[in-house]
Amino acid sequence: PNAFTPNGDGVNDLFSIYGNLDGVEYMEIKIFNLLGEKVYESSDHQFTWDGSYKGELQTAQIFTWQMKLTWLNGHRDELRKGTLTLFK
């Protein structure tokens, strides 16, 4: 999914990745706002982002993300990139 609504209603409030992560040895994700400022970073496979930065919920906007993965078999993926929309 590339959109979420962190409005506290218990539905689609967090951004995370889905799928079989058993084959991932290392993962790093960074999320940037429209100004290019890094608003979130994690190397936890089970990360969740609630749409906040420095304790403040971000405004509705499109964010960019970058992810690096290393698989258990040693294969390193190229840097993956995408967008994420925060709706209110």
Side-chain angles (χ1 to χ4, degrees):
N2 66 344
F4 72 124
T5 57
N7 57 12
D9 68 356
V11 178
N12 202 27
D13 284 334
L14 302 171
F15 172 69
S16 62
I17 57 172
Y18 298 92
N20 184 357
L21 300 176
D22 292 340
V24 176
E25 180 178 344
Y26 176 78
M27 185 206 72
E28 174 184 280
I29 186 162
K30 296 177 184 177
I31 301 173
F32 302 89
N33 65 16
L34 290 172
L35 301 173
E37 184 176 23
K38 183 172 52 176
V39 296
Y40 182 79
E41 180 175 16
S42 179
S43 58
D44 182 355
H45 292 63
Q46 305 299 322
F47 82 92
T48 57
W49 182 48
D50 63 1
S52 66
Y53 175 56
K54 294 185 178 179
E56 298 287 326
L57 183 60
Q58 297 294 283
T59 59
Q61 63 183 291
I62 297 172
F63 295 85
T64 59
W65 56 264
Q66 298 178 346
M67 183 183 298
K68 293 181 183 178
L69 296 169
T70 301
W71 302 97
L72 288 173
N73 66 5
H75 174 73
R76 291 183 189 268
D77 270 349
E78 296 292 321
L79 181 65
R80 294 182 181 207
K81 300 177 184 180
T83 59
L84 166 66
T85 304
L86 186 154
F87 291 104
K88 287 204 171 189

